[in-house]
């Protein structure tokens, strides 16, 4: 059976240990003052049997607390500490038991009140309150954080007199490191040693955030069990007497520690670290002395927070310039990917990265050392797995990107930020491996043992000899500021994309209006031109009938033919303008029937009797049957027209349908199209070859392209002068009107 020590330790319910440390006693009462729980050592101290205490009011213990027998002072203290249903006791409350000074500490716990009873007498020879002012001055005498931490351990040790005082800093993965220490001369240094996260599991770290000081006075004493008339365990989260986990007791004993004391360092609501104190003989510190140490811890927490904020602000200012460069690039370039060329090197320098990638619209734009294209796309695909995150952060890619075989030396660190929810477009930074040596206080892997019932259990380390681990495949971690700035770069990019989309939308609206106006103008002008053209033609024919002079007759004939040609051009322009106004009536079209009709039409009027018109597969299309007929008639008719001078004119029509689109290819063996003409072949009035050899107006293919656009389709041409042409018509399966 494989056991993860960190997971195993984190499941231990250390907030309900069922007992208290024996240097004190505990009572838990409800709001009416009825005793619901008590520590077993209370009976021996008070001389009252447990069954006579449980279920009765706490008033019966007034004499034991050195008060009058009929005193209700405990409930009076609670009532005095209650304001708007919020209980804020002013602890401690002095009491005397058998002429010995004790402190009563009241804390609320769910619907109960816990009464911790501790001795006032302490193992400290001097009240630390007399030293705290000078100690704080010494602590904060320098601005450098490492120096402040070093000063703190020296001053804390002076105040509480423990054999060893350390500052233990938590890393992002939960493991800790000794970053400052002061210790008795006969002891060895632990500075720089690392401790696994399972030494202080997650639920213990949460308790350290609630109780800022924690005392274990004597690890060798067994806890006093809690007694109650109910089987429900008592939550001792807020109790200063809470018993210690047996595993932690064994852990301290393995280090030969007899007493421990800790002060939490909490910065912005997070447990930054601990002031951890060890003594090699039992040691008790009373409540007021612990509060003095807590004050020092709170001052240190504020100092650490300020120094961290200064470092963060300095880093933020350094990286802010990159955001400005990105913004400037996006404002001055029409192409979004241009920012990689403009700002790539500065991004690499600012983020201490080795590679930068913009994955945008399926294309990869990069600078520096980056993985292969398929690996980059796999990283982009990770956002489909972590849909609730806008970025992915990793300093050990081989663990976090198991499906992507990244080179762990070159790409150990990855920071990826998604551009928009639901798509793969993203920004990615890479960092190389930063090989390091970590010195652990003993083998960080706790031993799995088997108990007498054959069940596995975790036993703490027996050896704390330095254990060296060579770490590879791991990069320097990304800081919160780097992530914050990287997300801001993403936001600038999204803003620029949104701005360009809006610009395109406005431009499209203007173009749509302009095209509509142009269509209307073209239709009106073309329609109005037909009347004078008809008159010109009629007058030319009249001149021919009236005149007997051959020269006049010929001139009139030229006028008549020009009017006929111009009338044909006007008619085609009218048809072209109507395409933009016509509603696309989408339906399934049987292309075999449509092309057969076109074939019959062309064979009836063929110029070359050797015309070979081949129709192969004809998959059906979805679109307007009238407009599709116009498309295929124009393209096939052109293929026949421009190949009719060949000995055997050949035109092949073939369609192919896939899951995404249907493609028709219409190939001829005609005159072909030059490279220059291919660029303008679909423009209005554009014609191919010698215009004197082939009839036409140059409007047909322009009309075809317009119809294709209305269908969300595309037409292209593949051709070489003198070698025929192939027109490729691509129709998507979902038609866009």
């Amino acid at each position: 059976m494989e056991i993860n020590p960190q997971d195993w330790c984190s499941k231990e319910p250390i907030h309900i240990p069922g007992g208290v440390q024996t240097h004190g006693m505990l009572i838990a009462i409800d709001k009416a003052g009825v005793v619901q729980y008590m520590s077993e050592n209370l009976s021996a101290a008070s001389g009252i049997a447990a069954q006579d205490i449980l279920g009765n009011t706490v008033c019966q213990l007034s004499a034991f607390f050195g008060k009058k027998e009929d005193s209700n002072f405990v409930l009076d203290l609670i009532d005095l500490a209650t304001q708007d249903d919020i209980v804020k006791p002013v602890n401690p409350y002095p009491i005397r038991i058998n002429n010995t000074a004790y402190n009563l500490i009241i804390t609320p716990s769910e619907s109960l009140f816990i009464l911790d009873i501790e001795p006032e007498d302490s193992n400290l020879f001097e009240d630390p309150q007399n030293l705290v002012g000078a100690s704080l001055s010494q602590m904060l005498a320098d601005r450098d954080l490492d120096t402040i931490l070093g000063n703190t351990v020296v001053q804390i040790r002076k105040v509480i007199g423990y054999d060893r005082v350390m500052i233990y800093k938590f890393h992002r993965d939960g493991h800790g490191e000794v970053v400052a220490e002061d210790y008795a001369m006969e002891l060895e240094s632990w500075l720089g040693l690392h401790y696994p996260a399972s030494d202080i599991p997650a639920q213990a770290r949460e308790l350290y955030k609630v109780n800022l000081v924690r005392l274990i006075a004597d690890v060798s004493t067994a806890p006093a069990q809690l007694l109650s008339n109910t089987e429900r365990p008592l939550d001792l989260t807020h109790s200063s007497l809470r018993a210690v986990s047996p595993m932690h007791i064994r852990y301290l004993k393995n280090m030969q520690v007899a007493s421990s004391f800790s002060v939490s360092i909490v910065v912005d609501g997070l447990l930054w670290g601990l002031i951890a104190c060890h003594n090699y003989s039992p040691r008790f510190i009373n409540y007021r002395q612990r509060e003095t140490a807590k004050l020092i811890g709170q001052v240190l927490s504020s100092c650490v927070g300020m120094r961290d904020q200064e470092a963060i602000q300095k880093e933020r200012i350094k990286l802010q310039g990159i955001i400005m460069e990105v913004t400037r690039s996006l404002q001055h370039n029409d192409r979004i990917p241009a920012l990689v060329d403009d700002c790539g090197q500065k991004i690499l320098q600012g983020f201490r990265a080795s590679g930068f990638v913009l994955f945008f619209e399926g294309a990869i734009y990069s600078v520096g050392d980056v993985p292969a294209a398929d690996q980059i796309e796999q990283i982009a695909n990770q956002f489909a797995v972590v849909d609730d995150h806008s970025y992915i952060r990793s300093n050990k890619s081989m663990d976090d990107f198991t499906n992507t075989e990244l080179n762990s030396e070159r790409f150990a660190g990855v920071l990826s930020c998604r551009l928009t929810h639901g798509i793969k477009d993203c920004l990615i930074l890479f960092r190389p491996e930063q090989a390091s040596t970590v010195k652990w206080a003993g083998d960080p892997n706790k031993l799995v043992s088997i108990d007498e019932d054959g069940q596995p259990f975790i036993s703490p380390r027996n050896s704390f000899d330095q254990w060296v681990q060579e770490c590879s495949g791991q990069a320097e971690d990304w800081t919160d500021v780097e992530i914050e700035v990287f997300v801001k770069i993403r936001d600038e990019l999204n803003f620029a994309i949104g701005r360009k989309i809006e610009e395109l939308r406005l431009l499209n609206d203007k173009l749509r209006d302009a095209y509509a106006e142009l269509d209307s103008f073209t239709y009106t002008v073309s329609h109005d031109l037909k009347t004078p053209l008809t008159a010109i033609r009629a007058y030319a024919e009249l001149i021919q009938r009236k005149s007997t002079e051959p020269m006049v007759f010929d001139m009139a004939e030229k006028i008549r033919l020009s009017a006929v040609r111009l009338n044909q051009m006007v008619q085609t322009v009218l048809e072209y303008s109507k395409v933009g106004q016509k509603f696309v009536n989408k339906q399934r079209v049987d292309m075999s029937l449509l092309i057969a009709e076109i074939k019959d039409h062309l064979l009836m009027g063929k110029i070359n009797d050797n015309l070979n018109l081949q129709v192969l597969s004809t998959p059906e299309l979805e679109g307007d049957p009238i407009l599709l007929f116009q498309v295929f008639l124009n393209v096939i008719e052109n293929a026949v027209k421009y190949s009719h001078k060949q000995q055997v004119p050949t035109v092949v029509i073939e369609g192919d349908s896939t899951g995404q689109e249907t493609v028709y290819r219409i190939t001829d063996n005609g005159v072909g199209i030059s490279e220059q003409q291919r660029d303008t072949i679909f423009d209005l009035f554009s014609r191919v070859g010698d215009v004197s050899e082939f009839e036409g107006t140059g409007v047909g293919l322009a009309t075809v392209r317009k119809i294709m656009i209305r269908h969300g389709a595309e037409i292209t041409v593949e051709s070489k002068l003198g070698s025929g042409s192939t027109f490729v018509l691509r129709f998507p399966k979902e038609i866009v009107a």
Side-chain angles (χ1 to χ4, degrees), residues 294-344:
K294 182 167 78 173
L295 173 62
I296 295 175
Q298 289 171 324
V299 172
L300 178 61
S301 296
S302 298
C303 184
V304 169
M306 286 190 293
R307 295 297 179 268
D308 280 353
Q309 283 302 315
E310 288 174 1
I312 287 171
Q313 189 61 22
K314 185 177 180 181
E315 184 181 13
R316 187 177 284 126
I317 290 172
K318 183 188 76 171
L319 292 174
Q320 197 70 31
I322 297 177
I323 299 177
M324 296 174 65
E325 289 291 333
V326 168
T327 303
R328 191 177 298 115
S329 171
L330 293 171
Q331 287 176 342
H332 290 87
N333 284 289
D334 292 331
R335 293 178 60 256
I336 295 293
L339 80 89
V340 176
D341 293 331
D342 292 348
C343 310

Side-chain angles (χ1 to χ4, degrees), residues 20 46 108 290 353 410 419 421 561 601 613 619 664:
V20 297
S46 65
R290 298 199 302 271
R410 294 165 55 200
L419 294 190
H421 181 80
L561 291 175
H601 169 76
L613 190 57
Y664 271 86

Side-chain angles (χ1 to χ4, degrees), residues 147-254:
T147 304
I148 291 172
L149 297 178
N151 292 341
T152 299
V153 292
V154 171
Q155 297 306 316
I156 285 280
R157 187 161 175 261
K158 284 182 180 178
V159 169
I160 64 173
Y162 269 61
D163 295 326
R164 184 191 298 275
V165 177
M166 304 167 286
I167 290 183
Y168 183 90
K169 178 182 178 181
F170 290 105
H171 289 261
R172 190 168 69 90
D173 63 358
H175 93 272
E177 178 186 0
V178 177
V179 295
E181 67 172 350
D182 189 45
Y183 52 91
M185 290 182 60
E186 66 273 13
L187 301 177
E188 294 181 358
S189 172
W190 288 358
L191 185 65
L193 292 184
H194 292 244
Y195 294 77
S198 55
D199 278 10
I200 305 178
Q203 81 277 32
R205 292 197 292 272
E206 287 301 312
L207 287 177
Y208 279 122
K209 287 162 58 177
V210 176
N211 293 323
L212 299 183
V213 291
R214 170 69 164 154
L215 172 69
I216 302 173
D218 187 352
V219 302
S220 63
T221 58
Q225 297 301 309
L226 291 181
L227 305 176
S228 177
N229 291 329
T230 176
E231 293 183 359
R232 182 183 179 186
L234 177 63
D235 186 347
L236 295 179
T237 295
H238 299 281
S239 171
S240 61
L241 292 173
R242 174 168 47 87
V244 187
S245 157
M247 187 180 298
H248 190 59
I249 289 290
R250 172 51 55 193
Y251 178 83
L252 292 173
K253 286 182 176 180
N254 288 349

